[in-house]
Amino acid sequence: MNLQFLVSGLGLGSVYALSGVSLVVLYRASGTLNFAIGALGALGAHCAWTLLSLKYPAFLAIVASVVVAAAGSFLYGRFVAPALSHRDRSVRAVSTLGFALVLLGVMGLVWGETIPRRLTLPTDAAYVELLSVRVTYTRIVALGLALATVGAIALLLFGTRIGLAMRSLASDRELGGILGINTTRVDSIAWLISGAIAGASGLLLGDLVRLQPSFLTFLVIPAVAAALLGGLTSLGGTIVGGLVIGVVEGMLTSFPELASYRSAAPFLIALLFVAVAGRSHSLRTSQ
Amino acid sequence: MSFRSGVSAFAVAAAAVVFSGGAHAAPNCGLANGKKADGAPIPIGAIVSATGLDDFSSSAKAASAYFKCVNDNGGINGRPVEYTVLDDQWRPDVSAQAAASLIKDKKVVALVGDMSIPGCGANAAIYKAEGVVDIPAVGVVRECFNSPNIAPINAGPRLSAIGISRFAVEKLNAKSLVCLTPKIPGAAEWICGGMEAWGKLRNVKVSTVTFDPASPDMTSIILQAAAGSPDAVVLTFSKGTVVAALVAAEQQGLDKKTKFVGLASSYALDLPQAVSPYWDGKYHVNLEFAPLDSAGADAQNWRSIMDKYGSANDPRDNFSEAGYLAAKATTQALLSLDPGKIDRAAVTTALKSIKDFKSDILCKPWYFGEGARHNANHSGLTAEVAGDKWKIIGECVDADDPELTEIFAAEKAAK
């Protein structure tokens, strides 16, 4: 078995994990599964590319990516999501899919879908060699950022009042509202944080994968799979889930019979997990 | 006049125009008499894959511009061309419906300038049964080149792969090649199969690596392609994926041991900017047509017609060049007919009789040809990334596909 692909898959898995964390943060607080995080990340990455191509400093481009995605997410969360707050979770999730398609259309108009572009970050220039694979600093940053984000989110949830409010709403939204938690404010902050993480993920994916609106938009799929492996609530589980998906997808490259179906790996892993977890849950319930 | 010498000759004229601040020359098409055609329209159709995975409508847009120019310049001996373009959405069933609609309802006399991914496979049978000829601007799949009534203007990805393989072996001293291709039904067998058959004759080791086109992890894919340390990897896909592959290869430093070359599908004016300066002089592609900035007379005429009769948003790409050529060749053939006797049978005969259609956009004259295999365009140039542009390397070279033995023999006999 070629361990090169393990190393290669870890880098991408880190970003899947980061994207998954973005989903989980919002889902825990507001109960909304945001299918637009891929598009928000793509929007941020394209803004960063524009600034870089205009010779602005990389730092500014990175900040812009995060700010634009966070702002887009906040605006949706503040002005659209409340109108749907009384609707079923599936309706709220599908509405974010509509938001993703709107963003995709906007990106198509502004940047075009088929123009080949390259997003280069300063961290691409340096690398360490591991198992004959060059691991660029961008990949190392991706892994570090995923872990640091989980730490920061855990600190927010368990060490701040807003975190307490988020946990209360996640536990019982109606009761939290009756107890005086400003649900709109808490939700808006969750949308803002989720969007910022999506912006960072989009920037990394734009660098590691390719800078193409549709491609980045639909990378929400492995992120959802990673979040599912974390049960849509566990940040640690989501990190592990993202890494597993990235590594499995990478390792499948060394099996020629399966290599052509690698993009199905996130679905299959998530499906398998849901089936096994659902079965053990029903067993526990029956006992 | 050869393609290269033609380019050189016109370079001087083009430079004079550019430096005098002049615009393109006036469009030249059809009878070129400036009179609007007002006779009975001649229905011609086209099927494109415009909506779906990608938009392949630029060839028909160029053909449409050319026919508009013809209609403004005397038409087909007084009769205007009524050009209908239908979108098959990349779906074989929709493509079949479009063909039936054009042939049965619109009563088209031919299909010209189209570019449909499922079209050739879905419609070859109806074209043959109804006696309709199709001159696609761009054929992609095997059926476009192996059907009696279909003759594309382009060389196709199989020949483009063989052409660039030949360059890699002869100019880059490659002795082993990997054909890296997305897993699309039939594509690997058609494109990489051609390279493998060619390699056997040339004693060049050719292997094929397929990948999932939806997979985002290009680093693993490129590591797999370079796993056996081949001398060259042939990238058979389009520009967006090529950029991702080249970036992954660059980050892994694979170009130190392995050369990377590509098909005409990655020849786009905006690609060098995305991969330069690292890939300057290191990434080579095959061309099926003249460079897009060619100063040749016909290349200039194509641009003039697009400027006057096309839309500013219509792409000026190789597909557009091919659409222009398909419309021009068809117009020349129709002009040889009695305008009062233009029907499907007459047009089919006229189009099948096209011989020695010359253009500086092509390396060699185009013809429809006999039999079931049509590949008049089998010769191309090579370009390499040079800063923000492409630089042409060498002369036109034939893609000596073993499948074309009969075509080469027929061409030789016709001389």
Side-chain angles (χ1 to χ4, degrees):
Chain A
M1 191 176 287
N2 200 331
L3 294 177
Q4 277 187 322
F5 302 117
L6 187 149
V7 177
S8 164
L10 265 179
L12 204 55
S14 305
V15 196
Y16 290 166
L18 192 61
S19 304
V21 167
S22 165
L23 283 172
V24 169
V25 166
L26 184 66
Y27 188 79
R28 281 179 64 133
S30 71
T32 302
L33 193 58
N34 182 10
F35 285 115
I37 60 155
L40 286 164
L43 182 66
H46 279 83
C47 289
W49 175 84
T50 300
L51 289 177
L52 288 171
S53 61
L54 292 171
K55 308 290 180 201
Y56 282 96
F59 171 75
L60 197 67
I62 292 166
V63 170
S65 177
V66 173
V67 169
V68 166
S73 180
F74 173 80
L75 289 173
Y76 181 89
R78 181 67 186 83
F79 298 107
V80 181
L84 298 164
S85 60
H86 61 289
R87 302 297 299 270
D88 188 70
R89 287 186 179 204
S90 57
V91 173
R92 281 181 275 159
V94 170
S95 77
T96 64
L97 201 55
F99 181 41
L101 294 177
V102 168
L103 290 176
L104 188 58
V106 169
M107 286 185 281
L109 277 175
V110 176
W111 287 283
E113 177 62 32
T114 57
I115 298 167
R117 293 193 180 90
R118 179 182 182 175
L119 181 67
T120 308
L121 297 174
T123 43
D124 291 338
Y127 61 88
V128 291
E129 200 151 317
L130 191 64
L131 299 170
S132 304
V133 177
R134 288 183 180 182
V135 183
T136 61
Y137 279 17
T138 307
R139 288 169 188 265
I140 296 169
V141 165
L143 184 58
L145 192 62
L147 296 173
T149 303
V150 168
I153 297 296
L155 207 63
L156 175 86
L157 289 175
F158 296 101
T160 64
R161 286 193 66 79
I162 192 76
L164 179 67
M166 282 179 177
R167 284 191 288 133
S168 304
L169 290 183
S171 174
D172 192 322
R173 198 169 176 81
E174 262 186 55
L175 192 60
I178 291 167
L179 289 173
I181 295 174
N182 185 339
T183 52
T184 306
R185 180 170 167 266
V186 174
D187 281 356
S188 297
I189 291 170
W191 279 95
L192 188 75
I193 294 169
S194 171
I197 301 171
S201 302
L203 191 69
L204 290 165
L205 288 169
D207 177 287
L208 296 174
V209 177
R210 78 178 68 162
L211 193 63
Q212 188 180 350
S214 60
F215 213 86
L216 292 177
T217 296
F218 294 110
L219 282 181
V220 67
I221 292 165
V224 170
L228 279 173
L229 292 183
L232 290 174
T233 51
S234 165
L235 295 170
T238 302
I239 288 284
V240 172
L243 293 175
V244 165
I245 289 168
V247 167
V248 169
E249 207 176 320
M251 296 290 279
L252 283 177
T253 314
S254 56
F255 300 95
E257 311 77 30
L258 300 172
S260 301
Y261 307 99
R262 290 168 60 214
S263 62
F267 301 103
L268 293 176
I269 294 168
L271 201 65
L272 202 66
F273 175 80
V274 170
V276 171
R279 187 178 158 75
S280 56
H281 176 73
S282 52
L283 277 175
R284 277 200 306 274
T285 311
S286 65
Q287 282 164 4
Chain B
M1 186 187 288
S2 73
F3 173 77
R4 293 286 289 169
S5 57
V7 169
S8 305
F10 278 102
V12 177
V17 170
V18 169
F19 289 115
S20 65
H24 294 312
N28 185 306
C29 58
L31 294 172
N33 60 12
K35 291 180 187 169
K36 272 196 181 296
D38 54 5
I42 301 169
I44 291 179
I47 301 172
V48 295
S49 297
T51 51
L53 293 176
D54 207 339
D55 178 3
F56 288 142
S57 61
S58 71
S59 64
K61 285 172 178 165
S64 175
Y66 189 86
F67 287 135
K68 279 180 192 166
C69 178
V70 168
N71 293 345
D72 274 0
N73 282 279
I76 306 298
N77 294 313
R79 294 181 61 181
V81 172
E82 186 182 72
Y83 191 52
T84 306
V85 182
L86 299 180
D87 173 18
D88 68 14
Q89 305 162 30
W90 287 64
R91 287 171 48 187
D93 57 324
V94 179
S95 199
Q97 285 170 16
S101 166
L102 288 170
I103 294 168
K104 310 257 188 194
D105 303 335
K106 282 273 177 186
K107 312 280 185 201
V108 296
V109 293
L111 285 94
V112 174
D114 34 1
M115 181 178 179
S116 158
I117 302 303
C120 295
N123 302 322
I126 192 174
Y127 296 158
K128 189 179 173 191
E130 298 288 335
V132 180
V133 158
D134 178 20
I135 302 182
V138 179
V140 179
V141 298
R142 177 185 285 274
E143 290 86 350
C144 294
F145 301 89
N146 287 278
S147 305
N149 282 29
I150 304 176
I153 297 288
N154 71 322
R158 178 182 169 103
L159 295 199
S160 194
I162 292 172
I164 200 64
S165 297
R166 186 172 171 184
F167 173 83
V169 168
E170 293 176 359
K171 306 293 181 189
L172 305 177
N173 301 316
K175 292 181 176 59
S176 58
L177 304 172
V178 162
C179 177
L180 181 61
T181 193
K183 181 82 174 175
I184 297 170
E189 295 80 3
W190 164 241
I191 301 168
C192 299
M195 275 176 60
E196 287 171 8
W198 174 85
K200 275 182 192 161
L201 290 180
R202 291 290 199 104
N203 206 21
V204 176
K205 187 185 166 195
V206 179
S207 51
T208 298
V209 172
T210 57
F211 67 93
D212 181 348
S215 173
D217 182 12
M218 189 49 84
T219 301
S220 295
I221 292 165
I222 214 76
L223 283 171
Q224 176 73 349
S229 295
D231 294 326
V233 173
V234 179
L235 309 177
T236 66
F237 27 91
S238 58
K239 57 186 181 179
T241 314
V242 162
V243 169
L246 292 179
V247 169
E250 175 187 331
Q251 289 184 346
Q252 294 303 316
L254 297 176
D255 58 296
K256 305 287 185 290
K257 289 182 184 169
T258 302
K259 311 287 183 195
F260 287 84
V261 294
L263 273 54
S265 50
S266 63
Y267 173 72
L269 291 182
D270 43 16
L271 186 134
Q273 198 173 10
V275 298
S276 179
Y278 189 87
W279 290 95
D280 284 1
K282 293 191 217 168
Y283 181 62
H284 298 88
V285 296
N286 172 264
L287 268 64
E288 298 178 45
F289 300 104
L292 294 168
D293 52 358
S294 165
D298 214 23
Q300 290 200 59
N301 193 44
W302 157 61
R303 289 193 288 268
S304 299
I305 284 178
M306 292 307 295
D307 287 349
K308 183 162 181 187
Y309 293 97
S311 148
N313 296 326
D314 291 348
R316 268 64 165 175
D317 55 14
N318 275 149
F319 301 154
S320 174
E321 279 184 310
Y324 162 84
L325 290 177
K328 185 177 177 183
T330 301
T331 301
Q332 286 184 5
L334 294 182
L335 284 169
S336 69
L337 298 174
D338 178 342
K341 293 179 181 172
I342 292 178
D343 57 17
R344 189 177 290 168
V347 171
T348 296
T349 305
L351 295 183
K352 284 194 168 188
S353 305
I354 295 176
K355 287 180 186 142
D356 206 29
F357 171 72
K358 290 190 177 77
S359 166
D360 50 58
I361 297 174
L362 295 163
C363 276
K364 290 182 175 175
W366 187 87
Y367 59 94
F368 195 98
E370 300 294 327
R373 183 75 162 92
H374 303 282
N375 230 140
N377 183 347
H378 47 67
S379 190
L381 289 162
T382 305
E384 69 175 21
V385 172
D388 287 352
K389 292 183 175 173
W390 291 100
K391 187 170 109 187
I392 299 298
I393 306 289
E395 303 287 323
C396 290
V397 175
D398 270 334
D400 46 346
D401 184 352
E403 259 193 14
L404 298 189
T405 310
E406 284 181 22
I407 286 181
F408 288 131
E411 286 180 2
K412 200 173 174 183
K415 278 181 183 172

Short mmCIF file of all heavy atoms in Angstrom, two decimals, chain B residues 126-163:
data_model
loop_
_atom_site.label_atom_id
_atom_site.label_comp_id
_atom_site.label_asym_id
_atom_site.label_seq_id
_atom_site.Cartn_x
_atom_site.Cartn_y
_atom_site.Cartn_z
N ILE B 126 -29.53 8.19 -37.61
CA ILE B 126 -30.58 8.96 -38.32
C ILE B 126 -29.98 9.77 -39.47
O ILE B 126 -30.60 9.92 -40.53
CB ILE B 126 -31.38 9.87 -37.35
CG1 ILE B 126 -32.62 10.41 -38.06
CG2 ILE B 126 -30.56 11.00 -36.79
CD1 ILE B 126 -33.57 11.20 -37.19
N TYR B 127 -28.74 10.24 -39.29
CA TYR B 127 -28.10 10.98 -40.39
C TYR B 127 -27.95 10.06 -41.61
O TYR B 127 -28.21 10.46 -42.74
CB TYR B 127 -26.71 11.50 -39.99
CG TYR B 127 -26.71 12.52 -38.87
CD1 TYR B 127 -25.56 12.74 -38.10
CD2 TYR B 127 -27.83 13.28 -38.57
CE1 TYR B 127 -25.55 13.67 -37.07
CE2 TYR B 127 -27.84 14.20 -37.54
CZ TYR B 127 -26.68 14.39 -36.79
OH TYR B 127 -26.68 15.30 -35.76
N LYS B 128 -27.54 8.83 -41.33
CA LYS B 128 -27.34 7.86 -42.43
C LYS B 128 -28.69 7.49 -43.06
O LYS B 128 -28.84 7.49 -44.29
CB LYS B 128 -26.64 6.62 -41.88
CG LYS B 128 -26.18 5.66 -42.95
CD LYS B 128 -25.47 4.47 -42.34
CE LYS B 128 -25.17 3.43 -43.40
NZ LYS B 128 -24.71 2.16 -42.83
N ALA B 129 -29.67 7.21 -42.20
CA ALA B 129 -30.98 6.78 -42.71
C ALA B 129 -31.65 7.89 -43.53
O ALA B 129 -32.32 7.61 -44.53
CB ALA B 129 -31.87 6.39 -41.53
N GLU B 130 -31.50 9.13 -43.11
CA GLU B 130 -32.18 10.25 -43.78
C GLU B 130 -31.31 10.90 -44.86
O GLU B 130 -31.72 11.87 -45.48
CB GLU B 130 -32.58 11.32 -42.75
CG GLU B 130 -33.56 10.84 -41.69
CD GLU B 130 -34.97 10.61 -42.24
OE1 GLU B 130 -35.32 11.24 -43.26
OE2 GLU B 130 -35.70 9.79 -41.67
N GLY B 131 -30.10 10.38 -45.04
CA GLY B 131 -29.21 10.93 -46.07
C GLY B 131 -28.76 12.34 -45.77
O GLY B 131 -28.58 13.16 -46.67
N VAL B 132 -28.59 12.65 -44.48
CA VAL B 132 -28.16 14.00 -44.08
C VAL B 132 -26.68 13.96 -43.70
O VAL B 132 -26.21 13.02 -43.06
CB VAL B 132 -28.96 14.48 -42.84
CG1 VAL B 132 -28.50 15.88 -42.43
CG2 VAL B 132 -30.43 14.49 -43.14
N VAL B 133 -25.98 14.98 -44.11
CA VAL B 133 -24.56 15.09 -43.77
C VAL B 133 -24.38 16.03 -42.59
O VAL B 133 -25.08 17.04 -42.49
CB VAL B 133 -23.77 15.60 -45.00
CG1 VAL B 133 -22.45 16.23 -44.58
CG2 VAL B 133 -23.50 14.45 -45.96
N ASP B 134 -23.46 15.67 -41.71
CA ASP B 134 -23.13 16.53 -40.57
C ASP B 134 -21.64 16.88 -40.66
O ASP B 134 -20.80 15.98 -40.75
CB ASP B 134 -23.43 15.77 -39.26
CG ASP B 134 -23.06 16.59 -38.02
OD1 ASP B 134 -22.95 17.82 -38.13
OD2 ASP B 134 -22.90 15.98 -36.94
N ILE B 135 -21.34 18.17 -40.64
CA ILE B 135 -19.93 18.61 -40.55
C ILE B 135 -19.76 19.31 -39.21
O ILE B 135 -19.89 20.53 -39.11
CB ILE B 135 -19.55 19.56 -41.72
CG1 ILE B 135 -19.77 18.85 -43.06
CG2 ILE B 135 -18.09 19.99 -41.59
CD1 ILE B 135 -19.37 19.67 -44.28
N PRO B 136 -19.49 18.53 -38.16
CA PRO B 136 -19.28 19.17 -36.86
C PRO B 136 -18.01 20.02 -36.90
O PRO B 136 -17.04 19.65 -37.55
CB PRO B 136 -19.10 18.00 -35.89
CG PRO B 136 -19.47 16.76 -36.64
CD PRO B 136 -19.29 17.08 -38.09
N ALA B 137 -18.06 21.13 -36.19
CA ALA B 137 -16.84 21.92 -36.05
C ALA B 137 -15.85 21.11 -35.22
O ALA B 137 -14.65 21.06 -35.52
CB ALA B 137 -17.15 23.24 -35.35
N VAL B 138 -16.38 20.50 -34.18
CA VAL B 138 -15.52 19.76 -33.26
C VAL B 138 -16.18 18.43 -32.92
O VAL B 138 -17.30 18.40 -32.42
CB VAL B 138 -15.29 20.56 -31.95
CG1 VAL B 138 -14.42 19.78 -30.98
CG2 VAL B 138 -14.65 21.91 -32.26
N GLY B 139 -15.46 17.36 -33.20
CA GLY B 139 -15.90 16.03 -32.79
C GLY B 139 -15.06 15.60 -31.60
O GLY B 139 -13.87 15.90 -31.54
N VAL B 140 -15.69 14.94 -30.66
CA VAL B 140 -14.96 14.54 -29.46
C VAL B 140 -14.88 13.02 -29.35
O VAL B 140 -13.82 12.45 -29.13
CB VAL B 140 -15.61 15.13 -28.18
CG1 VAL B 140 -14.86 14.68 -26.94
CG2 VAL B 140 -15.64 16.65 -28.27
N VAL B 141 -16.01 12.37 -29.53
CA VAL B 141 -16.05 10.92 -29.29
C VAL B 141 -15.80 10.14 -30.59
O VAL B 141 -15.84 10.70 -31.68
CB VAL B 141 -17.39 10.50 -28.66
CG1 VAL B 141 -17.58 11.17 -27.31
CG2 VAL B 141 -18.55 10.85 -29.59
N ARG B 142 -15.54 8.85 -30.42
CA ARG B 142 -15.18 7.98 -31.54
C ARG B 142 -16.19 8.06 -32.70
O ARG B 142 -15.80 8.12 -33.86
CB ARG B 142 -15.09 6.53 -31.03
CG ARG B 142 -14.79 5.51 -32.10
CD ARG B 142 -14.84 4.11 -31.54
NE ARG B 142 -13.67 3.79 -30.73
CZ ARG B 142 -12.51 3.32 -31.23
NH1 ARG B 142 -12.39 3.13 -32.52
NH2 ARG B 142 -11.51 3.05 -30.43
N GLU B 143 -17.49 8.07 -32.37
CA GLU B 143 -18.52 8.03 -33.42
C GLU B 143 -18.45 9.24 -34.35
O GLU B 143 -18.91 9.16 -35.49
CB GLU B 143 -19.92 7.96 -32.78
CG GLU B 143 -20.24 6.64 -32.11
CD GLU B 143 -19.75 6.60 -30.67
OE1 GLU B 143 -19.01 7.51 -30.25
OE2 GLU B 143 -20.10 5.63 -29.97
N CYS B 144 -17.89 10.35 -33.88
CA CYS B 144 -17.80 11.54 -34.74
C CYS B 144 -16.84 11.31 -35.91
O CYS B 144 -16.92 11.99 -36.93
CB CYS B 144 -17.31 12.75 -33.94
SG CYS B 144 -18.47 13.31 -32.69
N PHE B 145 -15.93 10.38 -35.72
CA PHE B 145 -14.90 10.15 -36.75
C PHE B 145 -15.10 8.82 -37.47
O PHE B 145 -14.36 8.50 -38.38
CB PHE B 145 -13.50 10.18 -36.11
CG PHE B 145 -13.21 11.49 -35.43
CD1 PHE B 145 -13.55 11.71 -34.11
CD2 PHE B 145 -12.63 12.54 -36.14
CE1 PHE B 145 -13.30 12.92 -33.48
CE2 PHE B 145 -12.39 13.77 -35.53
CZ PHE B 145 -12.72 13.96 -34.19
N ASN B 146 -16.07 8.05 -37.03
CA ASN B 146 -16.29 6.71 -37.59
C ASN B 146 -17.72 6.50 -38.06
O ASN B 146 -18.30 5.44 -37.84
CB ASN B 146 -15.92 5.65 -36.54
CG ASN B 146 -14.43 5.55 -36.34
OD1 ASN B 146 -13.72 4.89 -37.10
ND2 ASN B 146 -13.93 6.23 -35.33
N SER B 147 -18.30 7.50 -38.70
CA SER B 147 -19.65 7.39 -39.24
C SER B 147 -19.63 7.92 -40.66
O SER B 147 -18.99 8.95 -40.93
CB SER B 147 -20.63 8.21 -38.38
OG SER B 147 -20.55 7.81 -37.04
N PRO B 148 -20.33 7.24 -41.57
CA PRO B 148 -20.22 7.63 -42.99
C PRO B 148 -20.67 9.05 -43.29
O PRO B 148 -20.14 9.68 -44.19
CB PRO B 148 -21.10 6.59 -43.70
CG PRO B 148 -21.92 5.95 -42.65
CD PRO B 148 -21.16 6.04 -41.39
N ASN B 149 -21.66 9.57 -42.53
CA ASN B 149 -22.20 10.90 -42.86
C ASN B 149 -21.69 12.01 -41.95
O ASN B 149 -22.22 13.11 -41.97
CB ASN B 149 -23.73 10.86 -42.83
CG ASN B 149 -24.30 10.20 -44.07
OD1 ASN B 149 -23.66 9.35 -44.67
ND2 ASN B 149 -25.50 10.59 -44.46
N ILE B 150 -20.69 11.72 -41.12
CA ILE B 150 -20.17 12.75 -40.21
C ILE B 150 -18.68 12.95 -40.49
O ILE B 150 -17.91 11.99 -40.50
CB ILE B 150 -20.36 12.33 -38.73
CG1 ILE B 150 -21.83 12.03 -38.43
CG2 ILE B 150 -19.84 13.43 -37.80
CD1 ILE B 150 -22.09 11.53 -37.02
N ALA B 151 -18.30 14.21 -40.71
CA ALA B 151 -16.88 14.51 -40.95
C ALA B 151 -16.51 15.79 -40.20
O ALA B 151 -16.79 16.89 -40.67
CB ALA B 151 -16.62 14.68 -42.45
N PRO B 152 -15.89 15.66 -39.02
CA PRO B 152 -15.54 16.87 -38.24
C PRO B 152 -14.39 17.65 -38.87
O PRO B 152 -13.56 17.10 -39.59
CB PRO B 152 -15.11 16.30 -36.88
CG PRO B 152 -15.51 14.86 -36.89
CD PRO B 152 -15.53 14.43 -38.32
N ILE B 153 -14.36 18.93 -38.52
CA ILE B 153 -13.28 19.80 -38.99
C ILE B 153 -12.01 19.56 -38.16
O ILE B 153 -10.90 19.66 -38.66
CB ILE B 153 -13.69 21.29 -38.87
CG1 ILE B 153 -14.89 21.60 -39.76
CG2 ILE B 153 -12.51 22.20 -39.20
CD1 ILE B 153 -14.60 21.63 -41.25
N ASN B 154 -12.19 19.23 -36.90
CA ASN B 154 -11.02 19.11 -36.01
C ASN B 154 -10.36 17.73 -36.12
O ASN B 154 -10.87 16.83 -36.80
CB ASN B 154 -11.41 19.38 -34.55
CG ASN B 154 -12.24 18.25 -33.96
OD1 ASN B 154 -13.09 17.68 -34.65
ND2 ASN B 154 -12.00 17.93 -32.71
N ALA B 155 -9.24 17.59 -35.43
CA ALA B 155 -8.52 16.31 -35.45
C ALA B 155 -9.07 15.34 -34.41
O ALA B 155 -9.06 14.13 -34.60
CB ALA B 155 -7.04 16.56 -35.19
N GLY B 156 -9.55 15.87 -33.30
CA GLY B 156 -10.10 15.02 -32.25
C GLY B 156 -9.06 14.69 -31.18
O GLY B 156 -7.85 14.76 -31.43
N PRO B 157 -9.54 14.35 -30.00
CA PRO B 157 -8.62 14.14 -28.87
C PRO B 157 -7.67 12.96 -29.06
O PRO B 157 -6.55 12.98 -28.56
CB PRO B 157 -9.57 13.88 -27.68
CG PRO B 157 -10.88 13.51 -28.28
CD PRO B 157 -10.95 14.20 -29.60
N ARG B 158 -8.11 11.95 -29.80
CA ARG B 158 -7.23 10.79 -30.02
C ARG B 158 -5.98 11.22 -30.79
O ARG B 158 -4.86 10.91 -30.41
CB ARG B 158 -8.00 9.70 -30.78
CG ARG B 158 -7.17 8.47 -31.10
CD ARG B 158 -8.02 7.48 -31.89
NE ARG B 158 -7.22 6.41 -32.44
CZ ARG B 158 -7.18 5.17 -31.93
NH1 ARG B 158 -7.86 4.87 -30.87
NH2 ARG B 158 -6.44 4.24 -32.50
N LEU B 159 -6.21 11.95 -31.89
CA LEU B 159 -5.06 12.38 -32.70
C LEU B 159 -4.25 13.45 -31.98
O LEU B 159 -3.03 13.52 -32.13
CB LEU B 159 -5.52 12.88 -34.06
CG LEU B 159 -6.17 11.87 -35.00
CD1 LEU B 159 -6.13 12.37 -36.43
CD2 LEU B 159 -5.50 10.51 -34.92
N SER B 160 -4.93 14.27 -31.21
CA SER B 160 -4.22 15.30 -30.45
C SER B 160 -3.28 14.62 -29.44
O SER B 160 -2.14 15.07 -29.24
CB SER B 160 -5.23 16.20 -29.73
OG SER B 160 -4.62 17.36 -29.27
N ALA B 161 -3.76 13.53 -28.84
CA ALA B 161 -2.92 12.78 -27.87
C ALA B 161 -1.73 12.15 -28.57
O ALA B 161 -0.60 12.18 -28.06
CB ALA B 161 -3.76 11.72 -27.17
N ILE B 162 -1.98 11.60 -29.76
CA ILE B 162 -0.88 10.98 -30.50
C ILE B 162 0.11 12.05 -30.99
O ILE B 162 1.33 11.87 -30.94
CB ILE B 162 -1.43 10.14 -31.68
CG1 ILE B 162 -2.18 8.92 -31.12
CG2 ILE B 162 -0.30 9.69 -32.61
CD1 ILE B 162 -2.92 8.11 -32.15
N GLY B 163 -0.44 13.18 -31.43
CA GLY B 163 0.42 14.27 -31.89
C GLY B 163 1.37 14.75 -30.81
O GLY B 163 2.57 14.92 -31.04
#
